[in-house]
Every structure is written in structure tokens, then in C-alpha cells.
Amino acid sequence: MSRILVRGGRVLDPSTDRDELADVLLESGRVVSVGPDLRVDDVEVIEAAGCWVVPGFIDLHSHLREPGQEYKEDIATGGRAAVAGGFTAVACMANTQPVNDDPATTDFIIDRARQDSPARVYPVAAATKGLEGRVMTEMAALVDAGAVAFSDDGKTIMDSGVMRHVLEYSRLVDAPVITHAEDRTLVADGVMNEGAVSTRLGLPGNPGIAEDVLVARDLMLAEFTEAHLHVAHVSTRGAVELIRRARDRGVHVTAEVAPHHLTLTDESVTGYDTHAKVAPPLRSEADRDACRAGLVDGTLDAIATDHAPHAQHEKEVDFVEAPPGMIGFETAAAVTLELVRSGDLTPLEWIRRLSTNPARILGRPGGSLGEGKTADVTIVDPERAWVYDPAKGCSKSRNSPWAGKSLTGRVVATLVEGRRVYDVERGPLT
Ligand code: NCD
């Protein structure tokens, strides 16, 4: 029976508020014990001195592109990129081809993940057939097949009546509805944030109010239906404020923010860099600061990557024509550690937003290093400096605004169910 001792790291476990130097013993896929100087014979040792030993990150938002767009990514490469970034589990959105709006597709994704992906994969099923915003999917059958949540991500459900019914039915299957909140009529032909920068660059703007309006509507519908609404990729000050107030009144809302919305602004679009094109768009400094404040005060529960791979030829076009999206698994930890270095988040609170809170939102295992819990573990060296080269990464795609940038903080090892699946020196081990 394989046993692993992760020795001498700083163990950070938000589920028990533990923050201390300790060893972690894993056996048969479980955490067996955590404590200083564990004495164990006949065990494989992973030295973690100088590193943080944390419950595996869980990503609420990614695009794995399989089935249908395997030239961008597939479940095998996406799963490897996930564990290289410290994610032991990832939720994948339904905008595949075919759309994951049918139990057979959900089944296929789960099957494929079981065979090919070192990370756990949680399919998010479409809320409406074909992501068309008209006819609801068969939620009960999709949940039976293994769907963990419902979302038309990439598209907004513009019909409020449909959204109401989606929320009502989601209660019956006890799964959250994840909203991609951008009012299409306000987005119009916008391709970047509307503001001084879009004016300067002469690009059509997508105003923050497009997000605010839809978040306000969905919060009202969630309050009315008493369903669990999860707001994807929050990017505006207005949305943060609306969610904060709704939470205060007891609405069942959770929310996520992406690393890019916490750290970049629309200034990154200067030079018409298509790697800075994403939906929702990179916003103003005030919006970015509000997202940071929202993450710090808990209004935004989780950091989620919105890993959205696109092929090089698709991004090497005019800014207006390029598809929105950036890859994010392998840079998420380093990029968001900036909030720890700035003193905005303690290491423990950072992990809570990458692991414990996402586990709670999805109602899945993980997010804890408590004894008896599943042995999904990530080891992070918070000081390790490196230069990110997507060509050397695990994703099939390279569309990252951090390509070629110097970063600090790196995942050095990842374990899923007690098995080592990634090591920074050797790469993915599956
Ligand atoms: C997403 C994708 O590429 O699937 N892109 C993105 O910029 N977030 C879908 C989307 O939300 O447009």
C-alpha cells in the first residue's frame, strides 16, 4: 500500500484554520494524520521545507474543449495543465461541440476524464438546449449523469422567464446555476471595456453596466426563487456591490473572480494584444480594485480561472475578430499570490478562495486536509521565481497575457487521491 509523507512544509488548511509547520501522512487516498515530526517507516517522502502544503485547488470555471474542439484543448491536456497549476479538480463549462446539454455528453466527459485526466473533472451542464436561452435542459437526467451545476456560460440567458424557470428547477436537483451575466443588448458589438482606453484605441466598447444590469436581474430572480445563484467571472465594481447587498439580505448567492480581473486592466489592450481579449473584458482600475476588495471581504467567494484555450491562428487576427478568452490554469497561483504579497490576503485566506470555498459551492470533496479527508494536496513554493512560457506548459493553447513574464510563486507538486500526478521538475506524471 503506497504511503506518502509530505514533510516539513507549512500546512495551511482553511477548513480547520490550521497554519503551522507540520508533516502530512497520506494513505489509501486519504489524509491519515497531520502533525509535527510524524514518525513513519516504509514511506515515500516528499520534502516540502520552505513550501506551503495546502488542499488541492478547485477551479469552478474552465473550458476543456472536448468534445469538438480538441485542436484547442482536450480533457487529457486540460487535466494535465490543471494539475500543473495545482488544481486537483476543475469544473468544465458546457460550450463544447456538441454542447453538454444531454446526459450522453456529460457521460462522455466523465468517462474521458476518468481515463485521461489526472485532475478530477466536474461537468457543468448547459441550462438551456444548445445554449440558445430558450428551452431548458433535462436537469434531473443531467445531474444523474454527473453534472454538478448548470450554466450557459459564454452566453447570457436573456429571457428572464427562462432564467426564472432554470432557477426554480435547479432547487429540485440541488445544483447551483452559474450565470454569465452580460446583457447582450448593452454589449452590442463591444470587444473591450468601454472607457477612455477603448476611445483611444478606437475599439467598440462593452460597458460595465452590461454586467451590472444582468447581475441585478439574476440576484432578484434568485431572491424570488430562493435558488442558489453563482455569479461567474465578476468584473465590475457595480456587480461586486450588488452581490454584497444581496448577500446581506440573505440571498443565496456565491461568486467568483478570475485572476486577470484581479490583476489587469483595460490598459493591457493597448497595442491591440488579442491575448488581453476576454469575456467579460478587462476593466478599469476602479473595477479591478473593487474586485480585489470584494475577494478580500468575502463578497466574492472564489478565485476561478476561466481557462479558455484558443489556437494561435485564431488569436493572430484583428482584435475585433479574435475570440475572447485566455488560458489560466498554470498561472493562477503565481498571479493571485500578488494579493498575499500585498498583504490583502493571508496565505490561509488565499487558499480558502482557491480550494475550500469552491468545494463548498459545488458540494464536492476537497478543500480540507482534515484527517480522513480525500488526499488532494497541492504543494506551493511561494518564493520560486520563474518565467512563464506557455510553449513549455501542458495546455495545447498559448493564449496568455502572461506569456514571457517573470512570475513569483509556483506549484511544485500536486497529488490527487494520494497519488503524485505532477512534479515541477518532471512535469505531469500521468
Ligand atoms: C469563453 C470561451 O472561450 O469559451 N471565453 C471567455 O473569454 N471567457 C467563453 C465566453 O465566456 O465568452
Side-chain angles (χ1 to χ4, degrees):
M1 186 55 61
S2 97
R3 292 196 296 178
I4 293 183
L5 184 69
V6 182
R7 191 155 66 189
R10 177 173 171 188
V11 176
L12 294 159
D13 180 3
S15 75
T16 54
D17 284 327
R18 184 197 287 267
D19 178 355
E20 63 178 0
L21 286 180
D23 300 339
V24 180
L25 179 64
L26 312 172
E27 186 172 350
S28 306
R30 302 263 149 205
V31 177
V32 176
S33 55
V34 182
D37 299 319
L38 297 182
R39 303 235 171 274
V40 198
D41 299 324
D42 191 20
V43 71
E44 180 188 343
V45 174
I46 300 178
E47 295 293 351
C51 292
W52 297 350
V53 180
V54 306
F57 304 155
I58 298 170
D59 196 350
L60 293 170
H61 195 139
S62 74
H63 299 271
L64 300 182
R65 306 299 191 209
E66 186 177 359
Q69 294 185 309
E70 292 83 355
Y71 68 98
K72 298 177 194 250
E73 193 79 283
D74 59 36
I75 288 169
T77 57
R80 285 206 279 277
V83 296
F87 292 94
T88 52
V90 299
C92 60
M93 290 298 167
N95 62 342
T96 47
Q97 292 172 1
V99 167
N100 181 13
D101 60 4
D102 177 289
T105 307
T106 306
D107 222 43
F108 167 84
I109 293 168
I110 288 175
D111 223 53
R112 199 33 77 86
R114 208 172 276 140
Q115 293 173 38
D116 291 351
S117 169
R120 299 173 198 273
V121 172
Y122 299 138
V124 174
T128 72
K129 295 245 165 127
L131 307 178
E132 284 173 1
R134 292 202 297 266
V135 180
M136 277 176 49
T137 51
E138 305 220 12
M139 289 183 156
L142 287 159
V143 164
D144 285 346
V148 298
F150 292 90
S151 182
D152 277 7
D153 182 65
K155 298 219 171 131
T156 300
I157 298 174
M158 286 296 292
D159 185 317
S160 306
V162 171
M163 188 62 172
R164 169 197 175 164
H165 289 305
V166 166
L167 285 162
E168 277 169 343
Y169 273 83
S170 75
R171 291 188 58 192
L172 304 178
V173 293
D174 199 19
V177 175
I178 303 175
T179 178
H180 176 122
E182 287 193 291
D183 185 311
R184 275 211 294 273
T185 64
L186 287 164
V187 171
D189 59 356
V191 294
M192 70 170 293
N193 184 50
E194 179 179 299
V197 184
S198 66
T199 305
R200 194 174 76 225
L201 296 177
L203 290 171
N206 166 356
I209 191 73
E211 178 166 331
D212 302 350
V213 162
L214 243 292
V215 168
R217 181 202 73 173
D218 287 346
L219 288 168
M220 292 181 82
L221 289 172
E223 185 164 22
F224 176 69
T225 58
E226 296 178 15
H228 176 183
L229 177 74
H230 178 78
V231 184
H233 41 50
V234 171
S235 75
T236 65
R237 180 166 60 175
V240 174
E241 189 46 37
L242 285 159
I243 294 164
R244 189 178 283 127
R245 277 191 263 145
R247 179 80 59 78
D248 286 348
R249 339 187 263 283
V251 178
H252 189 182
V253 57
T254 53
E256 70 188 35
V257 58
H260 43 272
H261 291 127
L262 291 167
T263 55
L264 303 177
T265 67
D266 51 5
E267 288 291 351
S268 293
V269 179
T270 306
Y272 303 92
D273 180 6
T274 58
H275 293 141
K277 182 171 178 181
V278 64
L282 300 175
R283 303 273 188 198
S284 69
E285 221 169 275
D287 290 313
R288 183 199 56 191
D289 292 348
C291 288
R292 289 170 86 117
L295 185 73
V296 170
D297 75 14
T299 301
L300 309 179
D301 306 77
I303 297 167
T305 66
D306 195 5
H307 177 85
H310 292 291
Q312 231 160 330
H313 71 270
E314 293 170 309
K315 281 288 196 178
E316 281 170 0
V317 295
D318 189 78
F319 193 90
V320 171
E321 300 305 325
M326 45 181 79
I327 55 173
F329 288 146
E330 293 173 78
T331 47
V335 166
T336 59
L337 270 169
E338 188 189 315
L339 279 85
V340 176
R341 284 193 289 272
S342 65
D344 288 315
L345 288 175
T346 63
L348 200 62
E349 291 309 313
W350 177 68
I351 303 297
R352 195 186 303 280
R353 287 151 182 74
L354 275 166
S355 178
T356 312
N357 286 351
R360 170 177 53 83
I361 290 166
L362 291 180
R364 301 289 130 175
S368 171
L369 294 177
E371 284 165 21
K373 299 292 184 187
T374 186
D376 290 3
V377 182
T378 295
I379 305 175
V380 184
D381 180 344
E383 307 296 342
R384 186 169 169 135
W386 57 301
V387 176
Y388 175 53
D389 177 1
K392 294 201 184 117
C394 299
S395 174
K396 278 188 194 176
S397 290
R398 301 177 184 185
N399 51 309
S400 166
W402 290 286
K405 297 269 188 305
S406 298
L407 301 174
T408 304
R410 188 152 190 196
V411 169
V412 294
T414 308
L415 296 98
V416 174
E417 218 168 352
R419 275 192 327 122
R420 233 204 281 210
V421 291
Y422 174 78
D423 175 275
V424 68
E425 311 306 339
R426 289 185 284 160
L429 303 174
T430 53

